[in-house]
Amino acid sequence: MAIITISRGSYSMGKAVAEQVAACLGYTVISRDLLLDASTRFHVSEIKLIRAIHDAPGILERLSHSRQAYLAYIRAALTERVRDGNVVYHGLAGHLLLKGIPGVLKVRITADLERRVENEMQREGISAQEARDIILKDDNQRRGWTKSLHGVDPWDSNLYDLVVRIGALTVADAVSFICEAARSEGFRTTDKSLQPVKDLALACRIKAELVEEFPTVGVTCQYGNVIVYTREKGTGGSRLHKRIEALSKEIQGVFNLEVHSSENFPADAV
Amino acid sequence: MPIIIISSEDPAVEEQIAARTAKAVGFQTLGPEVLPAIAAKHAIPEPKLAESLGRTATPWWRRQAKGRQLSLACVEAEVLDRLAPDNIVCWGLGAHLYVLGISHALKARLLPDPARQIEALAGQRGVSPQKAGKLLEGARLKRAQWAQAAFGQNEMDPSMYDLIINLGQIDPDEAVGTLTTAVGYRKFQPMTYSISSLADLALAAKVKAKLLRTMNDIRVQARDGKVVVTSKALQRERRKKTAAIKSLAGEVPGVNYVEVHLINYVIRAAAESFR
């Protein structure tokens, strides 16, 4: 059973598509409730997490590590929720937060600007101009956020497996295409294919635990063997060492935990 | 019945999926095999015609070449004419860039598997995968520039397509299945309005191809046999150019009325005032 991420612009009917796909396949839907999870688990206010994942970072924020920490919390919460498969995630940047996991069906739902304006006008009871301004501002924020943090444009179709434009094609058509793709061989999950998800979830959890004190560390995990990469010489200082020893006892599923000192982290390091 | 327009940065993918989709739904294919007939009809050398669709040159070079504009206009006019009978899967003729606003045309873009593309190019050119990746990225950028210069469209814009399928993870068989399912939907069935919109596009393209033989900077719109031509002219040339446009456009079968809008040729007027 697959993991499906649905990326969408505001008022593009992506939420409706996600909910109907989940209902059709009997999957769990994850969206903003994920932020509540992260907020409770890592004791950060939800509003800070929302800003971290929605707004493009300002100049000062780019210099500080707070946003990195919030994203690490969100990613840890998301990977924890998707580790067993059978989920549809339609929050922000799912395709990027779950990057590196094979077999994730990445979908983008688009709609004509005029249709989106119409949807927003109906829902919010505002004028066409106001609705257009809000949508364009929101689109720019999301583009800015993704470009600044991941260096890619969310409008780039190459990031997705399937892009469906709601217009001539309806929400029901999109749902049917997505369900058909999710049932295909390429997206069928097995214990073997879920292993990288479990490893990523573990790496993200450890990164989230370390990020506040050690914002620049990188973490990889393979079959429960965790390596924490640091740019400090030796094993990264006694403070990091002690923290890691404690974590290896605290977190379930860690088979072995090591610290490596290296200038260049592996590309898949969290 | 509908029209399916398939586009991809990889012509082999376009051809393969178009042929398989056409077979699955029992449609005809329309591809680059029509270029010799178009070349013969419009007395344009075939290599020149193929080159205009080659998608390699810079936009500035494209814009400057009147001959290439004419070649593209001839291809556009002939393709639009051939799409009128419906039940067609069109590929390799840039139709996704000029078949606009036709509700019974399903536009699909197929993204080839990047890993396979890189591997194939690296093997073919004997370069590293990194270098092959950069070459592919460069080629993609040039194609986007070509689409912008030739038809004023951003081919990378996802809103241009009804469906975009990435063959990196989705099997070609499944892509064909998705296209055949989608084309069966009621919204892609031809209606009186969409058929007449396609006929209008074809008429406008024919008039444009006719006018580009003798003049530059031509834009044409058509509706139910009425044609509006927009161009540029110096003040003193206006009457002569209007008459020429009316006469030439009037020769195209299906044109009932011609309206000409001439914009003042500011740059040429300024250049001539210094003489």
Side-chain angles (χ1 to χ4, degrees):
Chain A
M1 289 291 155
I3 297 168
I4 303 170
T5 66
I6 295 182
S7 161
R8 60 193 167 91
S10 48
Y11 300 95
S12 303
M13 312 296 288
K15 188 181 173 203
V17 172
E19 285 168 354
Q20 288 184 34
V21 166
C24 174
L25 296 169
Y27 285 11
T28 311
V29 188
I30 310 173
S31 178
R32 291 221 158 159
D33 53 320
L34 175 82
L35 300 179
L36 260 179
D37 261 18
S39 163
T40 315
R41 192 190 296 179
F42 297 101
H43 314 292
V44 182
S45 77
E46 207 190 328
I47 192 78
K48 282 182 179 170
L49 295 175
I50 290 174
R51 280 191 191 142
I53 205 167
H54 188 276
D55 300 350
I59 296 167
L60 287 175
E61 274 180 306
R62 283 175 206 205
L63 299 174
S64 78
H65 294 292
S66 59
R67 186 175 287 255
Q68 262 189 343
Y70 300 150
L71 285 172
Y73 301 152
I74 294 168
R75 204 173 175 199
L78 177 63
T79 49
E80 188 63 36
R81 294 276 293 269
V82 303
R83 54 179 289 162
D84 297 320
N86 296 9
V87 288
V88 180
Y89 173 69
H90 69 93
L92 288 167
H95 55 291
L96 297 168
L97 295 171
L98 297 177
K99 205 168 136 188
I101 302 178
V104 174
L105 174 58
K106 298 175 283 291
V107 180
R108 179 150 179 95
I109 302 294
T110 64
D112 299 332
L113 181 63
E114 289 317 307
R115 180 179 279 260
R116 295 169 67 196
V117 167
E118 221 171 86
N119 287 344
E120 174 144 11
M121 279 168 67
Q122 276 173 10
R123 204 167 122 175
E124 306 292 336
I126 52 177
S127 71
Q129 191 53 50
E130 279 175 305
R132 193 170 289 114
D133 288 348
I134 290 171
I135 288 173
L136 292 176
K137 192 181 165 196
D138 200 48
D139 282 351
N140 283 338
Q141 284 274 19
R142 288 184 188 195
R143 277 183 112 147
W145 181 87
T146 317
K147 277 183 182 170
S148 66
L149 283 161
H150 298 277
V152 291
D153 184 351
W155 265 238
D156 180 1
S157 309
N158 289 293
L159 297 173
Y160 310 96
D161 298 307
L162 191 62
V163 182
V164 185
R165 184 166 65 90
I166 303 294
L169 294 171
T170 61
V171 169
D173 301 335
V175 170
S176 131
F177 295 144
I178 296 166
C179 291
E180 207 176 301
R183 287 190 193 109
S184 69
E185 196 58 47
F187 297 103
R188 204 163 287 159
T189 51
T190 57
D191 282 349
K192 196 182 165 194
S193 71
L194 279 178
Q195 189 56 47
V197 191
K198 288 177 179 164
D199 286 337
L200 181 67
L202 198 53
C204 288
R205 168 86 199 273
I206 289 168
K207 169 81 182 186
E209 295 290 347
L210 294 173
V211 72
E212 203 174 348
E213 271 183 276
F214 311 97
T216 56
V217 294
V219 186
T220 61
C221 177
Q222 216 172 6
Y223 293 97
N225 296 300
V226 180
I227 301 176
V228 175
Y229 291 89
T230 172
R231 291 199 172 91
E232 285 180 42
K233 286 186 180 159
T235 52
S238 61
R239 208 156 51 99
L240 176 63
H241 215 70
K242 275 182 195 165
R243 184 82 181 94
I244 278 173
E245 259 180 36
L247 279 179
S248 64
K249 288 171 194 161
E250 221 174 88
I251 298 174
Q252 277 188 346
V254 178
F255 183 66
N256 183 39
L257 211 158
E258 287 175 20
V259 181
H260 287 191
S261 177
S262 167
E263 267 307 307
N264 300 311
F265 296 173
D268 60 339
V270 175
Chain B
M1 290 295 277
I3 298 162
I4 305 176
I5 295 171
I6 289 178
S7 76
S8 173
E9 60 188 61
D10 184 345
V13 167
E14 267 181 327
E15 184 177 10
Q16 183 206 12
I17 300 290
R20 288 168 70 173
T21 308
K23 197 178 168 194
V25 289
F27 284 13
Q28 298 285 317
T29 56
L30 178 66
E33 73 280 353
V34 294
L35 291 178
I38 297 174
K41 186 176 171 186
H42 292 270
I44 296 169
E46 199 194 323
K48 220 174 173 182
L49 207 60
E51 190 210 7
S52 69
L53 287 167
R55 310 185 183 191
T56 49
T58 61
W60 181 246
W61 185 67
R62 288 276 168 208
R63 217 171 272 145
Q64 293 306 302
K66 185 184 158 194
R68 287 182 187 95
Q69 293 245 350
L70 174 63
S71 297
L72 289 168
C74 292
V75 171
E76 185 178 340
E78 292 298 325
V79 170
L80 286 165
D81 214 27
R82 284 166 167 80
L83 288 177
D86 306 331
N87 290 10
I88 287 170
V89 181
C90 182
W91 69 277
L93 296 165
H96 60 295
L97 301 166
Y98 49 82
V99 180
L100 305 170
I102 307 298
S103 66
H104 67 279
L106 166 69
K107 286 193 191 177
R109 182 137 181 104
L110 295 153
L111 307 175
D113 183 351
R116 259 189 228 169
Q117 263 190 309
I118 287 173
E119 197 187 310
L121 189 66
Q124 195 186 323
R125 300 255 183 110
V127 293
S128 68
Q130 284 85 349
K131 175 85 179 161
K134 278 187 185 167
L135 287 172
L136 280 172
E137 195 49 50
R140 198 172 289 146
L141 193 71
K142 279 196 171 172
R143 263 193 302 274
Q145 288 175 337
W146 169 83
Q148 191 69 49
F151 297 102
Q153 299 293 332
N154 175 9
E155 127 173 297
M156 314 286 254
D157 181 0
S159 65
M160 280 198 69
Y161 311 96
D162 296 297
L163 267 172
I164 301 174
I165 302 172
N166 192 331
L167 300 175
Q169 285 208 92
I170 292 180
D171 189 65
D173 283 337
E174 213 176 299
V176 171
T178 304
L179 292 175
T180 52
T181 310
V183 86
Y185 292 147
R186 206 163 53 89
K187 286 215 174 166
F188 292 110
Q189 300 309 307
M191 291 181 296
T192 314
Y193 180 73
S194 68
I195 293 167
S196 90
S197 297
L198 183 63
D200 289 341
L201 280 184
L203 184 62
K206 276 182 204 163
V207 171
K208 189 179 172 187
K210 177 97 180 173
L211 295 176
L212 277 174
R213 288 199 173 269
T214 48
M215 45 191 91
N216 288 326
D217 284 320
I218 296 290
R219 270 182 293 154
V220 186
Q221 284 175 301
R223 190 159 189 175
D224 301 330
K226 288 177 198 160
V227 174
V228 179
V229 180
T230 310
S231 185
K232 286 178 184 171
L234 289 174
Q235 195 66 33
R236 58 183 160 79
E237 291 174 351
R238 290 176 89 94
R239 194 173 290 173
K240 204 174 149 191
K241 193 161 184 177
T242 305
I245 290 173
K246 283 193 170 180
S247 157
L248 285 169
E251 288 171 15
V252 176
V255 174
N256 302 326
Y257 175 78
V258 184
E259 192 177 307
V260 181
H261 291 189
L262 292 177
I263 302 162
N264 210 6
Y265 219 143
V266 182
I267 297 172
R268 223 180 110 198
E272 287 198 357
S273 70
F274 284 108
R275 279 186 193 168

